[in-house]
Amino acid sequence: MTDRAPSVFSRIIAREIPADVVFESEHVIAFKDIAPQAPVHLLVVPKTEAYANVAELAAGDPALLAEVVATASSLAAEHADGDYRLIFNTGAGAGQTVFHVHAHVLAGGLTEGTLAQL
Ligand code: AMP
């Protein structure tokens, strides 16, 4: 248990705030980023907010991290041509603003040779 307020993603999972949900399973949810930075910009989020970042998730529940990656791959095939960029911002200095681990899935017309600024 935590005494922190629920993350914005937990509030989306609880349907307390709206989101454009594109996939949901027992352990994972995916929805469109509210401020897209690519033609396809989805967030894949474990339903638990026990892990703040991808390193914590990898150490604590590698199977759940694998499900996040598999979900990202499936969604890139469904929403674009199957190629995608997977980004886990880790730490405020890297641009992380929501400390509930999430994968950015960027796809569709990405510029080769650059990394998106997130
Ligand atoms: P990060 O900066 O890596 O922590 O990513 C957080 C992402 O969550 C940003 O790309 C935001 O645009 C996105 N975001 C924040 N609030 C919402 C929301 N209510 N619905 C969808 N995406 C959101």
Side-chain angles (χ1 to χ4, degrees):
M1 288 295 292
T2 171
D3 57 5
R4 286 179 300 160
S7 74
V8 61
F9 297 155
S10 288
R11 298 188 66 207
I12 287 172
I13 291 161
R15 303 305 199 269
E16 292 172 5
I17 57 177
D20 195 340
V21 175
V22 297
F23 176 80
E24 186 165 16
S25 70
E26 184 181 355
H27 302 296
V28 165
I29 192 168
F31 48 88
K32 294 183 180 177
D33 196 292
I34 203 169
Q37 299 194 34
V40 175
H41 186 171
L42 306 173
L43 299 175
V44 183
V45 185
K47 288 187 172 178
T48 174
E49 63 173 40
Y51 307 106
N53 60 55
V54 67
E56 288 186 12
L57 178 60
D61 193 342
L64 183 54
L65 174 58
E67 184 175 345
V68 169
V69 174
T71 300
S73 190
S74 297
L75 289 171
E78 184 181 333
H79 291 263
D81 65 1
D83 293 345
Y84 60 95
R85 196 168 285 159
L86 193 60
I87 296 174
F88 293 88
N89 290 329
T90 303
Q96 187 175 6
T97 58
V98 179
F99 293 85
H100 174 160
V101 62
H102 53 282
H104 294 262
V105 184
L106 304 179
L110 299 175
T111 305
E112 292 178 30
T114 68
L115 291 174
Q117 299 296 307
L118 283 174

